[in-house]
Amino acid sequence: MAYNLLKGKRGIIFGALDENSIAWKTAERVHEEGGTFVLTNAPIAMRMGQIDELAKKTGSQIIPADATSVEDLENLVAQSVETLGGKLDFVLHSIGMSVNVRKGKHYTDQNYDWTQKGTDVSAMSFHKVMQTLYKADAMNEWGSIVALTYMAAQRVFPDYNDMADNKAYLESIARSFGYFFGKDKKVRVNTISQSPTPTTAGQGVKGFDGFIAYADKMSPLGNATALDCANYTVTLFSDLTKRVTLQNLFNDGGFSNMGVSNEVMEAFIRE
């Protein structure tokens, strides 16, 4: 059901790869709620995904950009404002990558060149995106910027590897830059800490199916889906959350406040 929550609002959505991705679901929901946007991803990611299909479905333009390149981001922001006909009201940062995870490197045996690359893509890119928007004065007052994160930023999930560090850094950037964006531009900045979700990127983590099953049994409401996250993101883009900023918001079925559940205990109890 649509409520026209984003009618007349403009934005940029980073990271839509295929129909399993949270950014893809968010783009569909933003479109349903009346928002218009530019889709963007790194050129290599765009070749791997089906972003053309999403652009056609939502009537959106695609502007390729490497989120680690300030030059690319400056071009993206300028073109987006021109294409959409004015300043932006929302931005979704849905980007994450660990070469160490992809290559099977253990956390205690990292290749630091790969680590640096992952940090740049997964976290530093968020600072670069916001700095570019800030310097260009490209956001409308009461605009909203959201990045996606995961609870491994606060708690240990051994096989999440250096992505846990990247997410912790991402959340810190959201708070620190969010202060200045709020004071100077009246723009909100938040992160959503989502349940483990079977996206193309997430499935690259060792034992990810186990993550999903465990979290689902721990959470009183079960795991939040990609669509659940998209719906939550829409509320943060809307005017209904104008004073919500600097928050790391858990969309995880209650997992983050659980110690243990009966379902998990039953797996360890022997009659």
Side-chain angles (χ1 to χ4, degrees):
M1 182 180 293
Y3 304 92
N4 256 351
L5 288 175
L6 303 179
K7 185 177 181 181
K9 293 191 181 295
R10 302 176 286 254
I12 302 174
I13 294 177
F14 287 81
L17 184 66
D18 56 40
E19 61 183 5
N20 295 317
S21 68
I22 293 171
W24 184 291
K25 299 291 187 189
T26 302
E28 291 178 329
R29 286 294 294 118
V30 169
H31 176 65
E32 290 168 2
E33 293 295 342
T36 57
F37 48 86
V38 163
L39 293 165
T40 187
N41 213 328
I44 187 170
M46 291 175 62
R47 290 195 295 272
M48 293 165 53
Q50 298 98 41
I51 196 170
D52 290 338
E53 177 188 329
L54 180 62
K56 183 177 180 181
K57 181 177 182 179
T58 59
S60 304
Q61 183 169 329
I62 303 168
I63 302 176
D66 177 353
T68 67
S69 165
V70 172
E71 183 180 356
D72 276 17
L73 291 172
E74 288 172 345
N75 176 64
L76 169 66
V77 169
Q79 281 198 45
S80 297
V81 170
E82 182 178 350
T83 297
L84 296 170
K87 288 186 181 185
L88 309 175
D89 300 289
F90 61 86
V91 174
L92 175 66
H93 180 283
S94 180
I95 306 170
M97 185 276 295
S98 166
V99 184
N100 284 306
V101 169
R102 286 183 181 176
K103 300 283 191 180
K105 271 286 189 182
H106 195 269
Y107 186 77
T108 60
D109 183 33
Q110 291 187 37
N111 177 314
Y112 291 117
D113 289 336
W114 295 351
T115 304
Q116 189 169 12
K117 177 65 174 176
T119 300
D120 199 16
V121 171
S122 305
M124 186 72 76
S125 66
F126 191 40
H127 194 287
K128 291 176 181 178
V129 167
M130 286 199 285
Q131 181 170 289
T132 302
L133 293 164
Y134 182 92
K135 286 185 172 182
D137 194 25
M139 297 290 296
N140 279 319
E141 287 193 353
W142 305 111
S144 176
I145 301 171
V146 172
L148 301 183
T149 185
Y150 181 55
M151 196 179 165
Q154 290 86 33
R155 299 188 189 176
V156 177
F157 292 81
D159 291 324
Y160 204 63
N161 210 307
D162 57 331
M163 275 303 298
D165 302 333
N166 295 337
K167 292 301 188 185
Y169 187 21
L170 178 86
E171 292 174 18
S172 179
I173 288 169
R175 290 186 295 270
S176 297
F177 215 121
Y179 168 79
F180 295 105
F181 241 137
K183 288 291 289 183
D184 300 339
K185 312 283 188 180
K186 286 189 169 59
V187 170
R188 298 163 278 159
V189 180
N190 296 286
T191 53
I192 295 176
S193 188
Q194 168 73 0
S195 295
T197 309
T199 61
T200 301
Q203 289 170 340
V205 177
K206 180 183 174 185
F208 196 71
D209 288 345
F211 270 15
I212 292 176
Y214 170 73
D216 199 49
K217 288 185 181 297
M218 277 287 286
S219 309
L221 296 180
N223 287 335
T225 65
L227 180 58
D228 291 330
C229 190
N231 286 327
Y232 196 16
T233 304
V234 164
T235 69
L236 290 174
F237 286 167
S238 80
D239 292 333
L240 300 178
T241 51
K242 286 177 73 169
R243 290 304 197 289
V244 179
T245 195
L246 311 186
Q247 303 301 309
N248 182 45
L249 301 160
F250 290 96
N251 186 53
D252 63 0
F255 178 88
S256 49
N257 274 323
M258 291 297 295
V260 73
S261 70
N262 290 335
E263 289 79 4
V264 169
M265 284 296 293
E266 284 169 6
F268 294 94
I269 295 173
R270 294 184 179 142
E271 298 296 338

